[in-house]
Amino acid sequence: MNKTWLVFRNEFMTHVRKKSFIFGILSMPLFVALMALIGFVSVWLEYNPSPVGFIDPNQVIVNARQVPVEKKQLLQTVQAIHYQDEASAEQSLRDGSIQAYFLLSDNYLNSGEVTMVTNEKTGSNAESDFGDFLAYNLVKNQPPLLAERLLAGPNLIIRSLDGSREMASNDWLSMLLPILAGVLFVIAVNISGNYLLQAVVEEKENRTMEIIVTSISPGQLMAGKVLGNLLVGLTQLATWIFFAIIALNIIPSVFPMKFTPRIDPASMLLIAATFLPAFVMVAAAMGAVGATATEAREAQQITGWFTIPIVIPLWFTTAFMFNPNGALSVAMSLFPVTAPIALPLRAAFTTVPAWQIILSITLLCLLAAFALWLSGRIFHLGMLRYGKRVRLREAFTRSGK
Amino acid sequence: MPNIVVDHIAKNFGNLQAVKDVSFEVNPGEIFGLLGPNGAGKTTSIRIMLDIFKADSGTVSILGGPMTEDKKSRVGYLPEERGLYQEIPLERCLVYLATLKGLEESDARNRINEYLEKFDLAGSRRKKVKELSKGMQQKAQLINTLVHEPEVVIIDEPFSALDPVNTQMVKDLLKEERVRGTTIVMCTHQMHQVEELADRIALINKGETVLYGDLREIRRHFASDAVLIRALNPLPSSIPGVHEVRPHNSSTLLKFETGKTPQDILNTLINQGVILEHFEIAMPSLDEIFIQVVNNKDALE
């Protein structure tokens, strides 16, 4: 059996069986779910299901109907009850059968002016639900398609001059995706890079190094370790994405959304094409650090330096938004260390020329290959040095072992 | 044809000359002792043989040529700096390392289970390595060295941290391997441990081979004109041809004059009415030979 495959499998299985990995992989969705739950509870605490009343002196709304509800929702829409006059509405407000009443002004159709009367703060959804009720009843006699269009409002689509790219105003996820993916990438690369680093340092600390290098070449060992940890990181990312997809499917059924989140396959492809070599690059670099360091604690202190350059583009998100083709944005999307996040981020706001995408990904792949080579070399030089570091210069200059 | 040929290797680490000039050959089916004090260059020589380090000069041939990736599976190595993966169960650790030596997983598992039984470790196969005692870990490492039935076995300090029972077990195991035709190199500074096992030796001091050859011939060569005896009655006050009589452990050492032979001394003792319980030619220990060689060399320099 191929020895790289053996190392790869052992590395992967060892990590995914660790309690810390299982805890780590579940903690993120659990944390997000907890945040969502807290959010829901806070909305629910503000929610008041009591109906509201309305007085329509000029008969603007004829044959009032409640807004039809298509799906069963956790928080029911607040019903609107018609009152002939303000006195009866006031009576209902006093006896608590409604939480507020709305008085449509005499020239409501011209001014849109409505007065709300209440004794205490209304539920968070009372005003918006009554707004929806008014809008629905005002257009309900129009042809259904027209009514639906009027209620949904505009969807502004911005298209580039050459037609190669367009962005709809409700397509916010395409813009958010690179940022979210970038954050997840940094977390995943940090976690699995740390695993790799610890694994290499551990082999020095527990003295298995000599047995290993007399069984397998350092190149095979490093390739197996880097790829194994790449899969650990990808497993982590995939699990999080899986939970995110579940969440995206559950959330609209719980909280009504006026649009469906859509993920553009092209941006997913670009994210994958930049993240994979970037992951190899960072993992190999961390492996090299592991080989040069003398103990795990020392190595961990260094790893932060590898993630800082990668997250730099996130600090300049506004620059990417407002000037995606500026010198800074272009430079960061081409520079291999910042490219993993900068390129997809820039692509979310502009059409990146094909040559720049090709150049950026090629540079990333080259740097990843170089990092692998260098880490194998440093590993070879540093593997049997207990308590003594390898200097970077040695990796390039020394021909012997 | 020798399985290992080390030909005038040298290695420097910066200003430190770890190996100056080491040469030896090891034949199939023999136990070879690579001996010397701490810091003599033994481990560096082994690492050069295994291609962990490249020699500055000189050549190494192992199993008929330079070390290659394929040959790694035909060599078993127990380094002085020992260790196993601490956080995983013993059996999984050994199976993984055995597959890296080219064994199929099922084959590796079967052989390891046989060894675990033999080494009295079967009950600990599911324990994490870190939960095992030092002696148990030593035995586990020995399993890892031998499980793939290597043609060449190189063991650095084979008896360190082993109690007398396990030391004897390792000695027996190495003898079995020799019978199987395995080439065994034992590298140690505990020279007395090798005396009963090694067929041939190389003695290294300050990075140089100072003595090399068949162990029995070497000892005979360095044997002084002396015999060891144990008598049932008191020795006479004067023994013709003997110039020194002194106790040596539970025996008595008789040093005889040049020109006399052990046979002459035996005849003399019998003629003097000494009742002998034990008579042997006094062979120097490897430690004594080593000290003698080093002192002579220093005197020459």
Side-chain angles (χ1 to χ4, degrees), chain B residues 38-166:
Chain B
N38 291 325
K42 303 185 298 291
T43 300
T44 305
S45 298
I46 283 183
R47 287 176 177 173
I48 292 170
M49 281 160 61
L50 290 164
D51 201 36
I52 296 172
F53 294 150
K54 287 261 183 275
D56 295 341
S57 62
T59 57
V60 170
S61 162
I62 196 156
L63 293 165
M67 188 71 175
T68 60
E69 285 304 313
D70 288 340
K71 282 183 191 169
K72 284 182 176 178
S73 297
R74 296 162 65 192
V75 176
Y77 175 44
L78 182 63
E80 186 182 7
E81 294 281 4
R82 284 167 208 182
L84 293 168
Y85 293 101
Q86 298 290 307
E87 297 292 333
I88 57 174
L90 175 65
E91 187 184 15
R92 214 178 102 207
C93 174
L94 290 176
V95 169
Y96 170 58
L97 292 174
T99 53
L100 286 184
K101 282 288 186 187
L103 284 184
E104 287 298 323
E105 196 173 319
S106 57
D107 197 14
R109 200 172 293 281
N110 290 339
R111 289 199 205 177
I112 281 163
N113 282 329
E114 281 172 27
Y115 268 109
L116 289 174
E117 293 285 347
K118 186 173 178 178
F119 280 31
D120 204 20
L121 284 172
S124 305
R125 63 160 63 99
R126 307 226 184 281
K127 280 188 186 166
K128 281 187 181 175
V129 173
K130 68 177 180 185
E131 293 166 12
L132 305 180
S133 71
K134 203 171 176 184
M136 287 163 117
Q137 290 197 32
Q138 285 277 58
K139 288 196 271 184
Q141 281 152 1
L142 205 64
I143 295 174
N144 175 54
T145 310
L146 300 174
V147 69
H148 56 289
E149 293 184 349
E151 293 163 58
V152 171
V153 170
I154 298 171
I155 307 187
D156 203 352
E157 298 297 348
F159 308 109
S160 67
L162 287 181
D163 60 29
V165 175
N166 284 322

Side-chain angles (χ1 to χ4, degrees), chain A residues 1 3 6-11 13-14 17-18 199 202-203 206-208 210-218 220-221 225 380 383-384 386 398-401, chain B residues 11 13 43 47 50-54 67 69 72-73 75 77-88 92 96-97 99-105 141 144:
Chain A
M1 211 184 290
K3 289 181 179 177
L6 289 170
V7 177
F8 165 81
R9 193 182 60 172
N10 180 64
E11 204 66 29
M13 293 310 289
T14 304
R17 283 180 187 180
K18 278 185 181 165
E202 207 180 3
E203 266 158 1
N206 68 22
R207 309 292 200 244
T208 36
E210 275 186 270
I211 295 174
I212 295 291
V213 296
T214 50
S215 306
I216 180 171
S217 73
Q220 285 175 312
L221 179 70
K225 276 182 176 289
H380 209 163
M383 61 190 176
L384 293 176
Y386 304 115
R398 290 184 55 152
S399 56
K401 294 173 194 172
Chain B
K11 177 76 182 172
F13 295 107
T43 300
R47 287 176 177 173
L50 290 164
D51 201 36
I52 296 172
F53 294 150
K54 287 261 183 275
M67 188 71 175
E69 285 304 313
K72 284 182 176 178
S73 297
V75 176
Y77 175 44
L78 182 63
E80 186 182 7
E81 294 281 4
R82 284 167 208 182
L84 293 168
Y85 293 101
Q86 298 290 307
E87 297 292 333
I88 57 174
R92 214 178 102 207
Y96 170 58
L97 292 174
T99 53
L100 286 184
K101 282 288 186 187
L103 284 184
E104 287 298 323
E105 196 173 319
Q141 281 152 1
N144 175 54

Side-chain angles (χ1 to χ4, degrees), chain A residues 226 276-286 310 336-337 340 364 367-368 371-372:
Chain A
V226 168
L276 284 174
F279 201 104
V280 172
M281 177 180 78
V282 179
M286 286 196 177
I310 292 173
V337 181
L364 258 176
L367 195 66
L372 257 184

Side-chain angles (χ1 to χ4, degrees), chain A residues 2-143:
Chain A
N2 185 298
K3 289 181 179 177
T4 304
W5 159 250
L6 289 170
V7 177
F8 165 81
R9 193 182 60 172
N10 180 64
E11 204 66 29
F12 178 74
M13 293 310 289
T14 304
H15 286 313
V16 297
R17 283 180 187 180
K18 278 185 181 165
K19 281 181 197 144
S20 57
F21 174 81
I22 296 164
F23 181 75
I25 209 167
L26 293 177
S27 60
M28 171 72 90
L30 283 177
F31 178 74
V32 173
L34 185 70
M35 287 294 109
L37 185 70
I38 291 171
F40 176 77
V41 168
S42 65
V43 168
W44 182 74
L45 288 173
E46 292 284 307
Y47 171 74
N48 186 345
S50 305
V52 293
F54 73 95
I55 302 115
D56 179 17
N58 297 315
Q59 309 279 311
V60 174
I61 295 166
V62 186
N63 297 328
R65 266 188 265 155
Q66 300 302 325
V67 180
V69 181
E70 286 172 7
K71 291 177 190 169
K72 197 180 180 189
Q73 293 171 358
L74 275 182
L75 301 177
Q76 291 299 311
T77 311
V78 169
Q79 303 283 299
I81 301 167
H82 180 242
Y83 288 92
Q84 291 301 330
D85 53 51
E86 209 176 336
S88 53
E90 206 177 302
Q91 184 55 45
S92 294
L93 184 64
R94 280 185 206 285
D95 65 28
S97 54
I98 57 172
Q99 54 175 312
Y101 66 83
F102 295 88
L103 182 62
L104 272 63
S105 66
D106 289 341
N107 61 343
Y108 168 74
L109 284 179
N110 292 324
S111 67
E113 191 183 311
V114 178
T115 307
M116 183 176 82
V117 180
T118 183
N119 284 328
E120 53 194 24
K121 193 174 174 292
T122 56
S124 57
N125 55 331
E127 284 175 50
S128 62
D129 282 357
F130 183 67
D132 290 345
F133 168 81
L134 277 182
Y136 173 74
N137 279 286
L138 286 170
V139 301
K140 69 174 185 284
N141 293 327
Q142 302 296 328

